[in-house]
């Protein structure tokens, strides 16, 4: 009968809704677990690099990336708690807005730093003699500081135009700024992919045909991690604010992949730096992951000061 058919349809819809809820809870639980692991991993990177960061300029990039990922994961884990608890807890509007804008700020900072280090590593591979002698002494520090400052400016502009933190929001200005953010994301992705492709080609044409060890491999793996795991979060966030249509399941999927992206980078560092068959202190493992660039930094120091090579 018609009534029994409608009852069956309602029952099927209810079962489908329950399955969606269960699936979302699994995804969010995995996100929280990965976020916790990422907090521990990035915290370990910060602790291990903080003492000898100035021996290697490229370690400053990793230190800043780990700091951005640590803040991102902290906000990320807190922001998804209402979804995980299914309406039993809800944050005030200004808290949700603060977490959202801070996450995007740290996301752009991490991406910008990854672009900067991939471009600099590409220059080091293409022009090693020029790079080791002519590289400005405080280039890395200046680039990191400028990155944080520019991203903070974008963050404040978005907060001022799109929220009520600094007055009445402007819809037209808000949409314009998000379009600027979309263009910025596209430019950063293209620059990073181009620099990584040139680095890969240079490495393949170099004297060592096997895959390189050390920092070039670390950069290439970090770029792949972003393209497969970090980029979906940026696409979701831009689509949400620019009112582009995206599938509903992409919401939780992008949250999970963002947690994977931030949590997997410390694992990559320690896996690349570990020596087969030997147990090494974590500090030494991280230094081995920076091995190629530590040697480059030591060559530069000896050429300038005449000191003994300190590279491991």
């Amino acid at each position: 009968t018609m009534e029994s058919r409608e009852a069956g349809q309602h029952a099927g819809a209810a079962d489908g809704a329950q399955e969606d809820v269960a699936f979302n809870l699994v995804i969010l639980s995995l996100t929280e677990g990965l976020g916790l692991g990422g907090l521990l991993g990035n915290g370990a990177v910060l602790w291990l690099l903080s003492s000898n960061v100035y021996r290697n300029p490229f370690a400053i990039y990793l230190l800043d990336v780990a700091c951005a990922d640590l803040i991102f994961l902290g906000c990320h884990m807190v922001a998804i708690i209402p979804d995980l608890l299914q309406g039993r807890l809800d944050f005030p509007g200004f808290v949700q807005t603060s977490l959202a804008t801070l996450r995007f700020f740290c996301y752009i900072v991490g991406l910008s730093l990854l672009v900067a280090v991939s471009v600099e590593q590409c220059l080091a591979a293409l022009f090693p003699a020029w790079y080791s002698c002519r590289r400005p002494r405080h280039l890395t520090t200046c680039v990191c500081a400028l990155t944080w400052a520019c991203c903070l400016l974008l963050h404040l502009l978005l907060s001022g135009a799109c929220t009520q933190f600094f007055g009445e929001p402007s819809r037209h200005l808000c949409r314009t700024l998000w379009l600027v953010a979309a263009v910025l994301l596209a430019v950063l992705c293209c620059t990073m992919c181009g620099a990584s492709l040139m680095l890969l080609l240079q490495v393949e044409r170099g004297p060592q045909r096997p895959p390189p060890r050390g920092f070039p491999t670390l950069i290439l793996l970090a770029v792949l991690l972003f393209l497969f795991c970090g980029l979906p979060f940026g696409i979701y966030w831009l689509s949400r604010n620019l009112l582009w249509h995206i599938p509903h399941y992409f919401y939780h999927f992008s949250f999970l992949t963002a947690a994977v992206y931030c949590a997997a980078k410390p694992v990559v560092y320690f896996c690349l730096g570990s020596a087969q068959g030997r147990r090494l202190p974590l500090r030494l493992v991280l230094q081995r992951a920076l091995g190629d660039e530590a040697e480059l930094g030591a060559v530069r120091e000896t050429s300038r000061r005449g000191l003994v090579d300190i590279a491991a």
Side-chain angles (χ1 to χ4, degrees):
T1 63
M2 184 66 70
E3 293 180 356
S4 61
R5 187 179 305 171
E6 290 179 355
Q9 290 176 351
H10 287 307
D15 292 340
Q18 290 179 355
E19 291 179 358
D20 290 341
V21 170
F23 177 76
N24 290 336
L25 287 177
V26 170
I27 293 294
L28 292 173
S29 300
L30 288 174
T31 303
E32 290 284 3
L34 287 168
L36 181 59
L39 288 177
L40 296 176
N42 285 287
V45 171
L46 282 174
W47 176 61
L48 294 171
L49 284 179
S50 59
S51 61
N52 64 340
V53 65
Y54 296 106
R55 287 183 55 185
N56 184 347
F58 283 90
I60 301 177
Y61 283 119
L62 296 191
L63 189 72
D64 283 50
V65 169
C67 182
D69 287 345
L70 200 68
I71 300 173
F72 177 88
L73 286 172
C75 297
H76 202 54
M77 293 177 65
V78 174
I80 65 175
I81 289 177
D83 290 335
L84 191 62
L85 296 180
Q86 294 295 304
R88 290 190 290 270
L89 175 66
D90 199 11
F91 295 139
F94 75 92
V95 174
Q96 295 177 354
T97 304
S98 300
L99 291 172
T101 55
L102 191 56
R103 269 188 299 171
F104 187 75
F105 164 68
C106 294
Y107 176 83
I108 289 294
V109 168
L111 172 58
S112 302
L113 292 170
L114 186 57
V115 172
V117 71
S118 61
V119 170
E120 195 166 337
Q121 179 63 33
C122 180
L123 292 175
L126 291 174
F127 313 105
W130 173 87
Y131 184 81
S132 60
C133 298
R134 300 295 182 88
R135 180 184 183 276
R137 181 178 179 84
H138 300 290
L139 176 64
T140 304
T141 305
C142 293
V143 169
C144 290
L146 187 62
T147 297
W148 283 96
C150 291
C151 292
L152 179 61
L153 177 62
L154 178 62
H155 169 70
L156 293 175
L157 289 174
L158 286 171
S159 298
C162 305
T163 68
Q164 296 181 352
F165 287 157
F166 306 110
E168 192 67 23
S170 172
R171 180 173 300 181
H172 176 72
L173 181 59
C174 178
R175 182 174 178 82
T176 302
L177 288 173
W178 277 111
L179 286 173
V180 171
V183 173
L184 176 63
L185 181 64
V187 170
L188 289 175
C189 289
C190 292
T191 303
M192 180 177 60
C193 291
S196 301
L197 181 60
M198 293 178 65
L199 176 62
L200 180 62
L201 292 176
Q202 180 65 20
V203 165
E204 287 296 323
R205 290 188 306 175
Q208 70 274 24
R209 284 292 299 171
R213 306 287 295 182
F215 205 71
T217 307
L218 187 151
I219 295 301
L220 293 173
L221 290 177
V223 170
L224 288 177
L225 265 177
F226 174 80
L227 293 177
F228 287 102
C229 299
L231 188 57
F233 180 82
I235 294 174
Y236 160 75
W237 212 249
L238 292 174
S239 301
R240 175 189 174 187
N241 288 278
L242 292 172
L243 303 180
W244 296 340
H245 174 72
I246 53 173
H248 181 68
Y249 68 85
F250 197 72
Y251 170 72
H252 290 143
F253 172 75
S254 66
F255 280 20
L256 176 63
T257 56
V260 172
Y261 168 62
C262 294
K265 278 184 282 188
V267 177
V268 171
Y269 303 161
F270 293 124
C271 287
L272 284 179
S274 61
Q276 295 182 355
R278 289 190 298 166
R279 297 187 63 180
L280 300 174
L282 289 180
R283 192 183 304 277
L284 184 58
V285 169
L286 203 53
Q287 290 175 358
R288 282 173 56 88
L290 290 163
D292 290 351
E293 292 311 314
E295 294 172 3
L296 182 60
V299 170
R300 176 176 173 271
E301 290 296 322
T302 53
S303 65
R304 285 192 170 187
R305 302 181 184 179
L307 298 178
V308 179
D309 187 357
I310 61 171

